[in-house]
């Protein structure tokens, strides 16, 4: 018994805060949004995980048959299906493994079965949970069911479910499946190296040269964000496909495969890498350059000792973001991948093509691993990047250097030509009657109602989805961010919430979509009323893009004085008054940024929603995919460009509104 | 029948109050055995404190001493781990902020940037059953009170730091709270503005009579504003007292060192009011140390009285020493002089001599003089205790 220890912890229980109305209300709000994330994210993922460990098998030992003679009298003893199969070898043992939808006709075990025979058949299970179908009616249990021969041909055995690693064993012993891992890693790594290198050059030219038209270059570089990732694939088909305009440049190689995927990936990941690296270069400290120059270091040496190390976290972060985007992307390899299998496409093929949901779940889990690793590394790097920022840094001001500036201009022009070129090809393709035979202009390709994919309705559906996602998503994300940032105490709950909010970034869209099928399409789930509605598309899209929006909101909220809530409480004013009068108006620019981010992504996303749309909720981005699949490539390009113009229009509108709102409500910012 | 009874009651309570000055019944704010733990770190250790109604109290101490933690516990911003707080007889230990009765001003002001000055001040007046005109009137009155009557339509960013601070103050007192909490309210301001605001805040507090607790690390601020100062260090209260008590009669070596400046001399106790420094015996204030004990004795530089060399006409109770002047540092209104001498042994004293004294005694580096050390200004503290500052 040491006296000091006694002093530090006096007798009695620690004081527990009594919660006020505000505390309870805020916790309530946070709980509701946390519940949303649990339902829209955690539970579906859990359903998917458990699905990947579920195996289905026909257990022949648990069925018994009895067959009558021609007069309907049962003379022979009951016999199990297993015993019948042993003598007949009707069903080979590898065919006994099946999926959750598997059905095995009972007639398989009776080779001389005829539906016209007068015999009567009996079937029963040996246990309570053995089940079989007669027609569409499900029976289970040990009671005999008696059917005539005409009905007997409609008796189907159902598989039993068990837990195990068998799906994974199957996956890794099927070369055509696990080869995709190697392919995905290879393509992602290659695309990452190319994109980050190109983007670094571009960002360097933007921030360290005095070339002209920087604003235009920046705008062009950001354009790929506005289109679905599969659009560059369509452009590449027109350029290098079997009837491509400049097919000869490939020297006989096929664009369908790794080459096409890599070129397209560079296109759609370029703006992401460029933004991250530009930020990293922008925070470099001019004082370091002055010091280096005063020490008479050469430009080359300065580049290697100051510029690159200063941007290293940005480069690492960009690399992981690009890697993650490529490995989880589904649209592009679907369009231009040809026979070259990648993980994300495998999920689609397993689920949509073969209806093998369990194997789809296994591929999803496999795809989760690199995505999670990339995510974790990126988070670590981001934390370090923040530490590099110092309030005393002096921003670097580039000085004119005609030769270097022209070099930068030339380089950026090349990149711009690449980006604008691919988009222009799509627009060109959309307006031509029939490439390459009839080059006259026409609007035929915009007659979407005549094609697969849902017609113009899918375009309007997409706009509806984008608007709903922007409004509903911003509301949920910003409220959630506010609560988790401003609640007093309650550390555990807030920690859990942060974790839930970060998770979506690590979940590939295909995985999320598939998880939604498992969770929401389960007839036992009362939430399955949402299945096939616009609501589930909105929920899925908000969840898919939750993390970036959440981080944006939290960053803005962190800049608000920590003591606003304390002041309001000490003045006996409820938190919602503060929220309404101060927090929202001050954060309005951020709120608008979040909503445009959600809008644009809802317009372009394919991966998650491709599993979830219904005939009444077809989407433009999915229509691009489906029309391309059906061979209507020109209309697919036309629809892709419609998405581009819509997003560009939304961006411009956002800019105008932001400026107007800023003028009206942000007068206080200016002295 | 009722009236006399009431009068009697009042008389009783008044006499009772007088008879037990330290009694807590009359205290407006009563803190008892407060602890605050952050994981393994104890930020507050067994803090007990009573604050009278209408009093201006400063929590003073170096950064990390726990003064802000204590203020935040009183406000309910960060709850204490153990212990109780009573305000006006009501136990508020675990109450949420909104159910306590205080106004608060933060170092950052925390003014709502997108609301005008008027709306900032009116923020706490709304939703309380007041009419619009009532609110407008009160806002005008408060703006007047802080001398910013014509600034109501502006936004906070359009005002200077000092003006923003006054607006924050006006907002905090708008609802006439029973307790005003000020968390380093002046530390973000320029020195000149700070001195001006000190007076304004003190004046306002006196006018309103509101019980006020201010946290500061600036001793000048505390000494000039507070009725009582609570000196804190390492999560404990070192001393509570009026500014003069704290300065003249520091309760610990830490307080002596932290407030103002002081000489610290190693010394040995010789008698109930005597000790030795170097080779000479000095008379000191009465102390409770045993003979032969090693102590640190302190004396402030301005308490050392200079005399012509050789004069031994010190008053009976005061010791005199022959010393030599070393370096002299000109600090505006006085000279800080480094004193050494055979009688001091290895010890060095610093003394502040007025410009007059320096002229009268023609003091310069190398001069010899006699100094008088008033016995009641020599205060002894145990040696080897912690928190011995760097003098």
């Amino acid at each position: 018994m040491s006296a000091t220890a006694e002093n530090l912890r006096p007798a009695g229980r620690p004081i527990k805060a009594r919660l006020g109305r505000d505390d309870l209300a805020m916790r309530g709000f946070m709980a509701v949004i946390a519940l949303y994330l649990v339902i829209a994210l955690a539970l579906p993922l859990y359903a998917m995980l458990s699905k990947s460990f579920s195996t289905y098998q026909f257990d022949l030992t648990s069925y018994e048959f009895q067959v009558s003679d021609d007069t309907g009298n049962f003379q022979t003893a009951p016999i199990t299906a297993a015993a019948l199969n042993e003598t007949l070898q009707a069903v080979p043992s590898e065919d006994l493994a099946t999926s959750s939808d598997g059905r095995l006709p009972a007639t398989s075990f009776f080779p001389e079965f005829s539906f016209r025979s007068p015999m009567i058949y009996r079937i029963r299970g040996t246990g309570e949970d053995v089940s079989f179908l007669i027609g569409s009616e499900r029976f289970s249990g040990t009671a005999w069911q008696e059917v005539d021969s005409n009905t007997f041909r409609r008796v189907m055995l159902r598989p039993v479910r068990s837990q195990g690693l068998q799906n994974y064993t199957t996956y890794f012993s099927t070369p055509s499946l696990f080869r995709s891992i190697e392919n995905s890693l290879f393509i992602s790594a290659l695309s990452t190296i190319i994109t980050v290198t190109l983007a670094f050059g571009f960002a360097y030219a933007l921030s360290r040269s005095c070339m002209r038209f920087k604003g235009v270059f920046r705008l062009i570089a950001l354009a790929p964000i506005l289109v679905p990732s599969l659009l560059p694939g369509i452009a590449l088909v027109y350029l290098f496909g079997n009837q491509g305009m400049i097919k000869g440049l490939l020297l006989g190689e096929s664009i369908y495969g790794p080459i096409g995927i890599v070129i397209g990936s560079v296109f759609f990941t370029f703006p992401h890498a460029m933004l991250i690296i530009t930020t990293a270069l922008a925070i470099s400290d001019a004082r370091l350059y002055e010091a280096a120059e005063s020490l008479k270091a050469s430009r080359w040496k300065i580049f290697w000792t100051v510029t690159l190390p200063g941007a290293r976290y940005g480069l690492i972060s960009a690399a992981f973001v690009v890697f993650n985007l490529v490995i989880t992307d589904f649209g592009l390899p679907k369009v231009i991948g040809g026979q070259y299998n990648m993980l994300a496409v495998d999920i689609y093929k397993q689920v949509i093509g073969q209806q093998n949901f369990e194997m789809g779940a296994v591929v999803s889990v496999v795809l989760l691993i690199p995505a999670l690793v990339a995510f974790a590394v990126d988070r670590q790097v981001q934390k370090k990047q923040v530490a590099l920022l110092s309030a005393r840094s002096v921003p670097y001001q580039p000085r004119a250097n005609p030769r270097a500036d022209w070099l930068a201009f030339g380089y950026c022009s090349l990149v711009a030509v690449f980006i604008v070129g691919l988009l222009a090809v799509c627009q060109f393709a959309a307006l031509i009657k029939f490439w390459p035979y009839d080059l006259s202009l026409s609007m035929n390709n915009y007659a979407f109602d005549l094609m697969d994919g849902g017609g113009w309705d899918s375009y309007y559906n997409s706009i509806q989805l984008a608007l709903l996602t922007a409004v509903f998503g911003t509301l949920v994300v910003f409220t959630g961010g506010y609560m988790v940032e401003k609640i007093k105490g309650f550390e555990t709950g807030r920690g859990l919430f942060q974790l839930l909010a970060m998770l979506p970034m690590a979940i590939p869209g295909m995985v999320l979509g598939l998880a939604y099928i498992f969770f929401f399409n389960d007839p036992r789930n009362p939430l399955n009323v949402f299945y096939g509605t616009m609501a589930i598309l909105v929920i899925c899209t908000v969840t898919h893009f939750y993390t970036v929006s959440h981080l944006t909101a939290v960053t803005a909220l962190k800049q608000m004085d920590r003591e606003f809530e304390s002041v309001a409480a000490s003045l006996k004013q409820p938190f919602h008054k503060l929220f309404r009068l101060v927090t929202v108006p001050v954060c309005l620019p951020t709120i608008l940024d979040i909503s445009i981010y959600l809008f644009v992504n809802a317009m372009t996303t394919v991966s998650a929603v491709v599993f979830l749309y219904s005939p009444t909720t077809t989407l433009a981005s999915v229509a691009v995919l489906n029309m391309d699949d059906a061979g209507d490539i020109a209309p697919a390009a036309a629809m892709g460009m419609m998405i581009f113009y819509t997003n560009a229009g939304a961006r411009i509108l956002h800019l105008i509104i932001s400026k107007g709102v800023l003028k009206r409500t942000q007068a206080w910012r200016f002295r | 029948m009722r009236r006399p009874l009431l009068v009697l009651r009042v008389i009783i309570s008044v006499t009772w109050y007088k008879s037990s000055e330290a009694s807590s019944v009359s205290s407006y704010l009563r803190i008892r055995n407060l602890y605050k733990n952050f994981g393994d770190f104890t930020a507050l250790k067994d803090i007990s404190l009573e604050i009278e109604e209408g009093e201006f109290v400063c929590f003073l101490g170096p950064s990390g001493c726990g003064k802000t933690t204590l203020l935040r516990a009183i406000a309910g911003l960060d709850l204490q781990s153990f212990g109780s707080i009573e305000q006006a007889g009501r136990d508020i230990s675990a109450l949420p902020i909104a159910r306590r009765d205080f106004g608060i001003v933060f170092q950052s002001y925390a003014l709502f940037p997108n609301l005008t000055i008027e709306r900032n001040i009116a923020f706490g007046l709304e939703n309380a059953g007041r009419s619009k005109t009532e609110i407008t009137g009160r806002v005008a009155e408060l703006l007047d009170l802080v001398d910013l009557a014509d600034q109501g339509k502006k936004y906070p960013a359009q005002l200077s730091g000092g003006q923003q601070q006054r607006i924050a103050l006006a907002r905090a007192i708008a609802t006439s709270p029973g307790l005003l909490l000020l968390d380093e309210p002046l530390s973000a301001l320029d020195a000149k503005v700070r001195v001006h605001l000190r007076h304004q805040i003190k004046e306002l507090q006196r006018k309103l009579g509101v019980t006020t607790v201010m946290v500061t690390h600036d001793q000048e601020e505390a000494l000039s504003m507070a009725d009582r100062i609570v000196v804190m260090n390492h999560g404990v209260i070192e001393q509570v007292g009026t500014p003069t008590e704290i300065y003249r009669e520091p309760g610990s070596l830490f307080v002596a060192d932290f407030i103002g400046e002081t000489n610290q001399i190693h010394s040995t106790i010789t008698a109930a009011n005597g000790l030795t420094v170097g080779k000479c015996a000095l008379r000191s204030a009465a102390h409770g140390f045993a003979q032969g004990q090693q102590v640190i004795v302190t004396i402030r530089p301005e308490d050392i009285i200079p005399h012509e060399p050789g004069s031994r006409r010190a008053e009976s109770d005061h010791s005199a020493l022959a010393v030599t002047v070393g370096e002299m540092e000109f600090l505006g209104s006085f000279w800080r002089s480094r004193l050494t001498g055979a009688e001091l042994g290895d010890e060095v004293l610093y003394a502040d001599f007025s410009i007059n004294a320096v002229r009268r005694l023609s003091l310069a580096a190398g001069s010899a003089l006699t100094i008088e050390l008033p016995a009641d200004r020599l205060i002894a503290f145990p040696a080897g205790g912690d928190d011995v500052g760097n003098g």
Side-chain angles (χ1 to χ4, degrees):
Chain A
M1 276 259 296
S2 95
T4 43
E6 197 77 341
N7 274 344
L8 299 186
R9 296 222 174 259
R13 294 162 60 84
I15 296 268
K16 261 194 91 111
R18 257 188 277 167
L19 298 179
R21 256 214 330 249
D22 275 8
D23 295 317
L24 290 173
M26 287 174 88
R27 286 179 193 202
F29 270 110
M30 194 174 91
V32 167
I33 291 170
L35 186 70
Y36 166 85
L37 283 173
V38 167
I39 290 174
L41 186 66
L43 292 179
L45 285 177
Y46 176 76
M48 187 199 75
L49 208 60
S50 77
K51 196 75 167 182
S52 77
F53 290 107
S54 299
T55 51
Y56 291 87
Q57 198 141 25
F58 296 111
D59 181 9
L60 298 186
T61 55
S62 57
Y63 294 96
E64 277 187 342
F65 297 107
Q66 203 175 11
V67 189
S68 77
D69 56 20
D70 288 351
T71 57
N73 293 320
F74 291 93
Q75 306 285 357
T76 54
I79 182 163
T80 65
L84 285 168
N85 200 36
E86 199 154 320
T87 48
L88 291 168
Q89 294 299 322
V91 187
S93 61
E94 60 265 28
D95 283 4
L96 292 176
T98 180
S99 70
S100 56
D101 283 333
R103 286 164 170 76
L104 184 64
T107 50
S108 316
F109 305 103
F110 300 93
E112 60 274 33
F113 167 79
S114 159
F115 65 91
R116 292 208 189 83
S117 77
M119 288 188 259
I120 295 182
Y121 295 83
R122 280 175 168 176
I123 177 173
R124 71 169 183 186
T126 52
E128 283 308 323
D129 49 354
V130 180
S131 70
F132 51 92
L133 301 173
I134 302 177
S136 56
E137 203 180 341
R138 184 170 171 277
F139 293 88
S140 60
T142 52
W144 282 113
Q145 302 296 331
E146 218 171 277
V147 290
D148 59 23
S149 59
N150 191 29
T151 318
F152 188 63
R153 62 179 171 159
R154 297 170 60 211
V155 172
M156 299 283 168
L157 309 189
R158 295 284 283 131
V160 288
R161 177 166 177 256
S162 57
Q163 303 283 336
L165 288 167
Q166 206 178 335
N167 294 328
Y168 289 87
T169 324
T170 314
Y171 179 84
F172 285 105
S173 54
T174 314
S176 65
L177 284 174
F178 72 75
R179 176 74 40 77
S180 301
I181 300 178
E182 200 186 315
N183 289 351
S184 275
L185 291 176
F186 170 69
I187 292 284
S188 307
L190 188 59
S191 308
T192 303
I193 294 169
I194 297 175
T195 308
V196 171
T197 313
L198 288 177
F200 180 78
F202 199 88
Y204 188 80
L206 278 185
S207 60
R208 298 294 156 83
S209 82
C210 288
M211 65 172 179
R212 301 189 59 189
F213 303 119
K214 279 189 191 173
V216 178
F217 282 131
R218 218 183 125 80
L219 267 184
I220 292 174
L222 291 178
I225 285 186
L226 306 180
V227 299
S229 62
L230 44 81
L231 201 67
I234 292 174
L236 290 174
V237 169
Y238 271 93
L239 286 172
F240 303 106
N242 294 332
Q243 293 172 323
M245 306 174 192
I246 46 173
K247 189 184 169 201
L249 287 181
L250 281 186
L251 305 171
E253 295 290 326
S254 168
I255 193 72
Y256 297 100
I259 299 177
I261 305 176
V262 170
I263 298 178
S265 296
V266 170
F267 176 88
F268 90 86
T269 56
F270 186 82
H272 301 273
M274 196 271 291
L275 279 177
I276 296 172
I277 299 172
T278 307
T279 316
L281 284 174
I283 61 170
S284 296
D285 194 338
R287 294 173 306 173
L288 293 176
Y289 286 87
E290 284 161 8
E293 272 170 26
S294 71
L295 292 169
K296 308 259 184 298
S298 68
R299 282 179 75 93
W300 186 243
K301 188 160 185 195
I302 293 178
F303 178 81
W304 284 101
T305 51
V306 179
T307 309
L308 262 191
R312 66 185 184 280
Y313 292 128
L315 287 171
I316 297 171
S317 179
F320 278 101
V321 166
V322 170
F323 186 90
N324 214 347
L325 282 170
V326 176
I327 205 167
T328 58
D329 184 54
F330 149 75
L332 187 65
K334 175 82 181 63
V335 167
I336 198 126
Q339 299 304 310
Y340 195 77
N341 287 334
M342 288 190 48
L343 288 171
V345 184
D346 281 351
I347 300 178
Y348 184 76
K349 283 184 180 160
Q350 288 297 328
V351 172
I352 303 291
Q354 308 190 10
Q355 298 284 310
N356 189 343
F357 290 87
E358 287 74 27
M359 197 48 77
V362 171
V363 185
S364 295
V365 173
V366 171
L367 181 57
L368 258 181
I369 294 165
L372 277 174
V373 170
F375 167 77
V377 174
D378 182 49
R379 289 305 302 162
Q380 283 306 313
V381 172
Q382 294 266 335
K383 269 184 203 155
K384 289 204 175 135
Q385 169 100 51
V386 175
L388 263 186
L389 273 166
S390 128
R392 290 218 196 138
S393 297
V394 181
Y396 178 83
Q397 292 292 342
R399 271 167 294 173
N401 176 345
R403 233 183 49 180
D405 292 347
W406 276 109
L407 208 67
F409 185 81
Y411 174 74
C412 290
S413 302
L414 279 180
V415 174
V417 165
F418 167 65
I419 292 171
V420 175
L422 286 192
L423 288 174
V425 166
C426 281
Q427 187 54 72
F428 176 70
L431 290 173
I432 287 190
K433 205 170 254 172
F434 191 53
W435 174 266
Y437 305 108
D438 183 352
L439 297 184
S440 57
L441 296 179
S442 100
M443 294 298 281
N444 287 355
N445 294 323
Y446 284 85
F448 298 132
D449 290 336
L450 303 177
M451 334 264 175
D452 273 355
W456 277 100
D457 278 347
S458 30
Y459 176 68
Y460 301 128
N461 283 339
S462 263
I463 290 190
Q464 197 191 349
L465 169 68
L467 286 174
L468 284 172
T469 303
V471 172
F472 173 68
T474 308
L475 200 75
V476 171
V477 168
F478 192 77
T479 314
Y482 179 79
M483 297 309 159
V484 78
E485 205 43 48
K486 302 297 179 187
I487 280 180
K488 278 165 50 66
F490 202 39
E491 306 298 335
T492 330
R494 287 166 56 189
L496 280 175
F497 188 94
Q498 287 285 19
L499 197 73
L500 271 177
M502 294 311 299
L503 198 55
M505 186 122 102
I507 308 299
M510 296 302 283
V511 178
L512 190 66
L514 185 57
Y516 270 43
I517 300 186
F518 294 141
F519 183 66
F520 287 99
N521 197 25
D522 188 335
R524 287 165 302 176
N525 185 346
L527 293 170
N528 77 358
V529 292
F530 286 119
Y531 198 72
T533 63
M534 182 57 87
I536 198 170
L537 294 177
V538 174
I539 293 172
C540 177
T541 311
V542 169
T543 311
H544 189 182
F545 299 105
Y546 197 95
T547 306
V548 172
S549 318
H550 175 76
L551 289 175
T552 312
V554 166
T555 308
L557 287 163
K558 272 194 200 302
Q559 285 165 5
M560 305 275 289
D561 197 313
R562 267 169 5 111
E563 310 294 6
F564 281 167
E565 277 68 25
S566 315
V567 167
S570 78
L571 293 170
K572 316 261 182 294
Q573 301 299 317
F575 79 95
H576 54 79
K577 179 179 168 189
L578 182 76
F579 185 72
R580 195 160 38 81
L581 285 183
V582 179
T583 313
V584 169
V586 170
C587 291
L588 206 55
T590 304
I591 292 174
L592 287 171
D593 284 351
I594 294 174
S595 58
I596 188 71
Y597 168 82
L598 289 173
F599 183 94
V600 166
N601 278 297
M603 283 300 293
T604 58
T605 186
V606 179
S607 54
V609 290
V610 76
F611 291 134
L612 300 173
Y613 71 93
S614 71
T616 56
T617 57
T618 53
L619 297 172
S621 51
V622 180
V624 178
L625 184 81
N626 286 340
M627 288 193 283
D628 175 81
D629 217 22
D632 296 328
I633 305 182
M639 185 64 102
M641 289 312 284
M642 285 304 293
I643 296 176
F644 171 71
Y645 293 126
T646 310
N647 274 337
R651 273 247 170 239
I652 293 169
L653 199 68
H654 165 255
L655 208 70
I656 295 169
I657 294 177
S658 290
K659 276 214 165 131
V661 162
L662 223 73
K663 218 182 220 163
R664 227 164 38 78
T665 65
Q666 312 280 305
W668 54 270
R669 280 188 202 275
F670 315 106
R671 279 173 180 260
Chain B
M1 268 317 282
R2 282 191 158 208
R3 197 148 283 229
L5 234 167
L6 190 77
V7 171
L8 190 68
R9 250 230 206 102
V10 169
I11 292 170
I12 289 172
S13 64
V14 166
T15 45
W16 197 75
Y17 161 72
K18 280 194 168 164
S19 68
S20 55
E21 255 180 36
S23 156
S24 44
V25 172
S26 65
S27 298
Y28 180 71
L29 196 67
R30 187 157 59 149
I31 297 163
R32 269 191 301 200
N33 307 105
L34 215 67
Y35 288 80
K36 174 73 182 180
N37 304 317
F38 292 109
D40 283 339
F41 175 70
T42 306
L44 293 177
K45 263 175 264 179
D46 200 13
I47 300 282
S48 293
L49 179 68
E50 304 197 347
I51 295 173
E52 306 298 323
E53 183 147 21
E55 213 179 3
F56 194 126
V57 171
C58 272
F59 294 170
L60 177 65
S63 54
C65 71
K67 56 190 191 295
T68 298
T69 311
L70 182 54
L71 185 91
R72 291 180 74 84
I74 295 172
L77 296 169
D78 291 314
L79 230 52
Q80 70 274 23
S81 312
F82 300 95
S84 71
I85 304 176
E86 271 177 33
Q87 182 181 359
R90 187 167 71 116
D91 183 6
I92 59 165
S93 307
L95 288 186
I97 304 173
R99 288 178 54 196
R100 302 184 184 211
D101 175 24
F102 68 92
I104 188 160
V105 176
F106 290 102
Q107 188 178 350
S108 65
Y109 321 137
L111 292 176
F112 306 130
N114 63 322
L115 303 183
T116 60
I117 299 306
E118 280 174 351
R119 295 218 54 199
N120 260 286
I121 297 177
F123 197 85
L125 299 169
E126 295 154 5
N127 309 345
R130 292 186 182 82
S131 72
K132 262 230 161 80
T133 44
E134 212 176 327
I135 293 175
T136 321
R138 175 78 176 136
V139 169
E141 185 187 332
L142 286 159
L143 276 171
D144 222 30
L145 202 63
V146 295
D147 286 340
L148 290 169
D150 50 346
Q151 309 285 329
K153 302 282 181 231
K154 289 188 178 171
Y155 289 104
Q158 294 166 317
L159 300 188
S160 71
Q163 288 173 322
Q164 291 186 36
Q165 189 58 274
R166 274 136 74 192
I167 298 302
L169 193 63
R171 183 179 63 183
I173 58 176
T175 51
S176 310
L179 178 65
L180 181 60
L181 302 176
L182 309 171
D183 184 10
E184 305 242 7
L186 303 175
S187 59
L189 299 170
D190 298 341
K192 271 261 159 73
V193 183
R194 212 184 304 177
V195 173
H196 174 70
L197 262 182
R198 251 191 232 162
H199 292 297
Q200 212 174 9
I201 292 178
K202 180 68 189 159
E203 188 114 330
L204 201 69
Q205 190 267 342
R206 210 172 283 145
K207 207 188 292 179
L208 299 172
V210 57
T211 312
T212 302
V213 176
M214 179 169 97
V215 163
T216 181
H217 64 265
D218 180 341
Q219 45 164 311
E220 230 178 88
E221 218 165 273
L223 291 170
S224 67
M225 294 172 82
D227 297 328
R228 273 199 306 156
I229 297 176
V230 177
V231 185
M232 297 180 66
N233 190 33
H234 289 327
V236 296
I237 293 178
E238 290 274 343
Q239 190 177 2
V240 182
T242 64
T244 39
E245 277 169 8
I246 297 280
Y247 191 84
R248 301 288 289 178
E249 290 140 40
S252 67
L253 190 56
F254 170 80
V255 177
D257 183 46
F258 184 72
I259 313 280
E261 295 187 58
T262 195
N263 289 293
Q264 296 182 16
I265 318 159
H266 290 277
S267 153
T268 313
I269 299 295
T270 52
N273 60 348
L275 39 77
T276 56
V277 171
K279 292 183 186 117
C280 70
L282 299 175
R283 280 182 293 275
S284 74
H287 52 71
F289 295 109
Q291 204 163 343
Q293 195 170 340
Q294 296 295 311
V295 295
I296 302 270
V297 64
T298 67
I299 182 164
R300 296 206 183 271
E302 70 268 24
D303 288 334
I304 298 176
I305 306 166
H307 293 290
E308 274 157 39
S311 69
R312 287 272 170 185
R313 56 174 182 74
E315 288 166 40
S316 61
D317 218 24
H318 295 179
S319 317
L321 286 174
V323 291
T324 313
V325 178
E327 298 147 35
M328 292 178 71
E329 192 184 358
F330 182 56
L331 290 171
S333 51
F334 60 87
W335 289 85
R336 172 144 310 161
S337 315
R338 185 172 192 270
L339 309 176
T340 51
E343 284 184 296
L344 276 173
D346 295 335
E347 299 289 345
V348 174
L349 279 179
Y350 286 90
D352 292 348
F353 296 143
S354 72
I355 294 173
N356 283 337
V358 169
R359 197 180 303 131
R360 181 167 51 83
L361 299 171
S362 328
L363 290 182
S367 316
L369 83 159
T370 295
I371 52 168
E372 178 187 333
L373 304 177
D376 63 329
R377 299 287 87 223
L378 279 170
I379 303 166
F381 297 103
D386 40 29
D387 304 331
V388 178
N390 41 18

